[in-house]
Amino acid sequence: MSARDLVLGRLRAALGEPRTAPAPVPRGYRSTGSVAADLDLLVHRLTDYRATVHRCADADVARTVDELLGGRQIVVPPELPRHWLPDSVTPVLDDNLTAARIATLDGVVTAAAVAVAETGTILLDGAPDQGRRIITLLPDVHVCVVRTEQVVATVPDALTRVDPHRPLTWISGPSATSDIELNRVEGVHGPRNLHVIITA
Amino acid sequence: MSRTFLGMPTPAPRGVGHLRGDEPFPAAARRALGDAQLRRNLRHATTTIRGKSGAVIGEVPDWQELRAAGRAIKTDTMARLPELLEQLEAAVTAAGGTVHWAADAVEANRIVTDLVRAAGADRVMKVKSMATQEIGLNEALEAAGIEPVETDLAELIVQLGRDKPSHILVPAIHRNRAEIREIFLREMPGVDPGLTDEPAALAAAARRHLRRTFLSTKVAISGANFAVAETGTLAVVESEGNGRMCLTLPDTLITVMGIEKVIPTWRDLEVFLQLLPRASTGERMNPYTSMWTGVTPGDGPQTFHLVLLDNGRSAVLADEVGRQALHCIRCSACLNVCPVYERTGGHAYGSVYPGPIGAVLSPQLTGVADNASLPYASSLCGACYDACPVMIDIPSILVHLRAEAPHPRAEAAAMAVAAYTMDHPALYAAAQRAAKLSRLAGPRGRGLPPPLSGWAASRDLPQPPSETFRQWWAER
């Protein structure tokens, strides 16, 4: 008997026959679309967890990136809008760079898939303007550009906007830990600086 | 003899893993209570987390509706567990992953060890995982000549300190910052001797220490917080980024998950992703959550193995009252509100699952006889039930398991006498009058002879009144 048959046989024996039909799941909580997305709330929640928020027009993103990363080497995903990059940064295109190479770069600029106002969360789904998961992990500064129409109110809203078959990364503030006396401390293994640029 | 059926629900085997302590809870708890530093550390940490968690739960207007939904989804999951696991297996396989089944800890350890060897690795990096602690995977890997490196900060503190985890979420909760600094100075190669005990400095030291490991290790081992049967998606919820490192950088990823972690649909995540962080670390959302479905060409590990672990869970499922212990999402809110846990800490429970949920889960995974003292490691105050984000009725399971635990013969005899006496009014009246004689037992029962002295060691015998209700009624 294979382990698979053994485990499944045990579980069926444990449940017995006839099975009790499970009750329907009550979903009385705030469902998708029941709350309006609130940009100010998103800004508050991001800031509260030590992300730095910048608001500007799409045409001014490059100026903000210049202030944050001017003079530095940054990794960029394959289809990052070029007008977001100022002349002052040295972009290194991620065409399957090695981990060791990415780890030597100062920062990364990406777009986002969705942002959740209530929790201050940015979702990346690996689209060509966000790139592979590794590029937002090793550099110490992550600058993420969010368009206002990408902002949703709640977690249920966010789940309807992404494809489960893509690799997803939910980011809420910079890397942190609560492992020392249960206090939140920012800055462990992921980027220690998270900048979110919200464009109108 | 009735027919032998190989598929009978079976408890976790002895001699492997960390579900059984070396001594009963009362003995271990007595020693822990004598450690004033431990009690200070625990009190500080649990008070902090209760405040944070309460504040962010208060922000959510539909918390009770989310809890009710969480409970119902888990109840539904358990009722359909075999079918959901088959669905999960098919979805993960279709997405390029390989699914393995492990009946117990021994089998899971063998599967993982063989996979690591097949990948040609002699070192693996690990994301914090209760399932792999439960089965003693690190010991099994070390015995096979493979070095496991824990990458979660608290797990690293425990591993470097040659210590045992004492909390589900924060395994080093029993250590304060000064103790952590001492461990780092002693055990971390190349650490700055000027290291301070500032939490930020300690976190930075861990960052430097592990960076090379992350970049050079070819195999990672993780647990899973959720696995979606419908899509084959796995989810790991974390804070530090060590999880992202392990899930993204290596060539091979091996995920070991208890079979109860499956959830039916993608939509169900909308409930648990709201419940877990607020109940667990007291955050609106934890810094990082990673989700992956099988293998993504060009992004992350190109080989993915999922090990589905039983190790006693089928035996828990067989108990209609106790099976809701399988609903646990490992948030540890019940530990943080428990007056017993706050005073004894996690080591006293003997198992990797401490606190109220451990007191109901461990005895069921091992069979009650192997953890007979744990159902009594509670005052039945019910704070755990109130705090549980999926509304597990822990007090009721505790009472249920107490009935299953072995009881001394003297207790059974005493209960039989009491039942007979209460059934016979004249006898009961006489017994009440005679109760005054219990003063012979000394103040609060401290003068009782064995075996009754055992009962009285941690309980006060009530002083009988000078007059019974019946006497008072008859004389008025």
Side-chain angles (χ1 to χ4, degrees):
Chain A
M1 183 182 256
S2 73
R4 180 182 190 278
D5 293 343
L6 181 64
V7 172
L8 288 171
R10 284 175 178 178
L11 295 177
R12 294 202 162 95
L15 290 169
E17 290 290 346
R19 299 259 189 100
T20 330
V25 174
R27 296 191 191 260
Y29 53 86
R30 293 169 303 154
S31 59
T32 308
S34 63
V35 187
D38 180 343
L39 265 187
D40 292 332
L41 183 65
L42 173 66
V43 173
H44 171 266
R45 295 291 151 89
L46 283 166
T47 311
D48 196 33
Y49 280 173
R50 307 286 181 272
T52 310
V53 179
H54 313 262
R55 297 180 75 166
C56 65
D58 181 74
D60 294 330
V61 169
R63 193 179 313 156
T64 308
V65 173
D66 174 51
E67 286 164 19
L68 298 171
L69 288 165
R72 325 255 306 257
Q73 274 205 325
I74 61 168
V75 55
V76 294
E79 293 182 20
L80 189 82
R82 289 290 130 169
H83 68 274
W84 286 353
L85 294 179
D87 295 335
S88 59
V89 299
T90 312
V92 179
L93 179 74
D94 176 35
D95 51 2
N96 262 322
L97 299 172
T98 64
R101 174 78 178 111
I102 296 167
T104 64
L105 300 174
D106 303 312
V108 56
V109 179
T110 69
V114 182
V116 187
E118 189 169 277
T119 58
T121 304
I122 307 293
L123 263 81
L124 307 181
D125 71 358
D129 58 0
Q130 297 152 54
R132 297 188 295 154
R133 287 173 282 175
I134 188 174
I135 66 169
T136 54
L137 183 54
L138 295 176
D140 209 16
V141 182
H142 180 192
V143 178
C144 184
V145 184
V146 176
R147 301 192 310 273
T148 45
E149 70 267 23
Q150 294 179 312
V151 179
V152 299
T154 62
V155 170
D157 294 325
L159 282 161
T160 64
R161 292 254 192 138
V162 289
D163 176 357
H165 295 282
R166 306 182 74 108
L168 300 173
T169 306
W170 301 55
I171 299 173
S172 308
S175 161
T177 182
S178 300
D179 281 356
I180 301 166
E181 301 177 3
L182 278 174
N183 276 311
R184 183 168 164 133
V185 180
E186 276 76 23
V188 198
H189 302 297
R192 288 181 284 193
N193 305 280
L194 175 65
H195 293 272
V196 179
I197 303 177
I198 302 174
T199 65
Chain B
M1 181 80 193
S2 60
R3 73 199 168 107
T4 308
F5 179 50
L6 282 173
M8 284 311 285
T10 310
R14 292 179 183 155
V16 57
H18 303 285
L19 287 171
R20 297 165 176 86
D22 303 328
E23 56 187 348
F25 180 81
R30 190 176 299 277
R31 204 174 40 256
L33 288 172
D35 185 341
Q37 183 66 56
L38 173 75
R39 291 179 64 175
R40 266 196 300 276
N41 294 353
L42 283 168
R43 182 155 170 236
H44 174 69
T46 54
T47 306
T48 304
I49 194 73
R50 286 198 298 263
K52 283 172 62 183
S53 185
V56 295
I57 286 171
E59 287 178 359
V60 185
D62 51 355
W63 184 252
Q64 296 308 331
E65 287 80 5
L66 287 166
R67 290 178 79 208
R71 172 164 71 176
I73 293 168
K74 287 292 187 178
T75 305
D76 172 40
T77 301
M78 295 316 145
R80 299 191 284 137
L81 193 52
E83 293 74 28
L84 290 171
L85 291 169
E86 288 172 320
Q87 193 188 359
L88 175 70
E89 177 187 42
V92 169
T93 308
T98 308
V99 176
H100 308 259
W101 299 72
D104 58 30
V106 177
E107 192 162 24
N109 288 335
R110 183 176 50 71
I111 291 168
V112 175
T113 306
D114 288 350
L115 289 171
V116 176
R117 280 195 178 131
D122 56 8
R123 184 176 57 171
V124 297
M125 51 186 179
K126 288 188 66 205
V127 193
K128 179 176 144 36
S129 133
M130 295 306 298
T132 62
Q133 279 177 29
E134 170 192 325
I135 62 177
L137 179 63
N138 286 4
E139 291 86 340
L141 290 171
E142 280 164 2
I146 299 161
E147 178 197 0
V149 182
E150 293 290 354
T151 63
D152 170 78
L153 179 54
E155 288 284 7
L156 180 71
I157 294 164
V158 167
Q159 191 176 41
L160 290 176
R162 297 184 187 80
D163 201 350
K164 284 183 176 172
S166 72
H167 189 276
I168 289 174
L169 171 72
V170 194
I173 196 171
H174 56 291
R175 299 290 196 187
N176 65 21
R177 58 183 76 186
E179 294 170 300
I180 295 167
R181 172 177 173 269
E182 303 263 311
I183 291 169
F184 281 10
L185 285 177
R186 199 171 63 233
E187 302 290 342
M188 199 178 263
V191 72
D192 173 10
L195 181 69
T196 69
D197 66 1
E198 276 304 303
L202 296 170
R207 179 183 171 99
R208 277 191 300 276
H209 173 68
L210 284 174
R211 197 37 91 104
R212 187 189 301 262
T213 302
F214 287 136
L215 290 174
S216 62
T217 307
K218 297 297 175 204
V219 179
I221 298 172
S222 84
N225 291 96
F226 308 104
V228 182
E230 177 185 43
T231 58
T233 308
L234 278 287
V236 164
V237 170
E238 53 130 358
S239 295
E240 296 165 17
N242 64 307
R244 290 180 69 192
M245 295 279 181
C246 291
L247 301 170
T248 309
L249 293 176
D251 301 332
T252 300
L253 172 63
I254 304 168
T255 298
V256 181
M257 68 168 246
I259 48 181
E260 80 281 19
K261 295 287 178 182
V262 68
I263 57 174
T265 68
W266 174 252
R267 186 187 176 189
D268 294 329
L269 283 171
E270 72 186 18
V271 174
F272 297 111
L273 288 180
Q274 295 191 74
L275 290 172
L276 180 55
R278 292 179 200 259
S280 181
T281 46
E283 293 168 306
R284 298 184 188 103
M285 190 61 91
N286 49 290
Y288 298 131
T289 296
S290 295
M291 297 180 185
W292 72 99
T293 304
V295 169
T296 305
D299 187 349
Q302 295 300 295
T303 306
F304 170 54
H305 295 277
L306 176 63
V307 181
L308 299 174
L309 175 73
D310 179 350
N311 205 39
R313 285 161 178 77
S314 55
V316 185
L317 188 69
D319 186 324
E320 284 184 35
V321 176
R323 74 169 57 137
Q324 55 173 320
L326 295 176
H327 297 186
C328 175
I329 56 174
R330 309 283 188 266
C331 73
S332 66
C334 63
L335 280 62
N336 301 331
V337 299
C338 177
V340 176
Y341 177 87
E342 184 177 327
R343 284 158 182 83
T344 65
H347 292 156
Y349 293 79
S351 160
V352 294
Y353 301 110
I357 188 63
V360 295
L361 190 55
S362 307
Q364 295 198 85
L365 288 171
T366 61
V368 178
D370 281 13
N371 267 310
S373 64
L374 286 184
Y376 294 90
S378 165
S379 64
L380 298 179
C381 75
C384 46
Y385 187 15
D386 289 341
C388 178
V390 293
M391 300 173 85
I392 300 172
D393 184 357
I394 294 175
S396 291
I397 311 176
L398 286 166
V399 172
H400 171 70
L401 294 176
R402 287 180 185 189
E404 289 188 359
H407 289 254
R409 206 168 289 185
E411 182 185 309
M415 288 298 170
V417 170
Y420 184 83
T421 308
M422 288 177 175
D423 245 4
H424 297 79
L427 205 51
Y428 185 62
Q432 283 196 317
R433 287 192 298 276
K436 282 187 212 167
L437 293 174
S438 73
R439 287 166 194 266
L440 292 173
R444 291 171 297 156
R446 290 289 188 270
L448 285 169
L452 300 174
S453 57
W455 187 90
S458 56
R459 297 173 181 86
D460 288 341
L461 195 65
Q463 287 299 90
S466 56
E467 185 181 45
T468 70
F469 175 77
R470 285 162 184 249
Q471 284 170 334
W472 173 80
W473 185 259
E475 284 162 18
R476 70 189 283 273

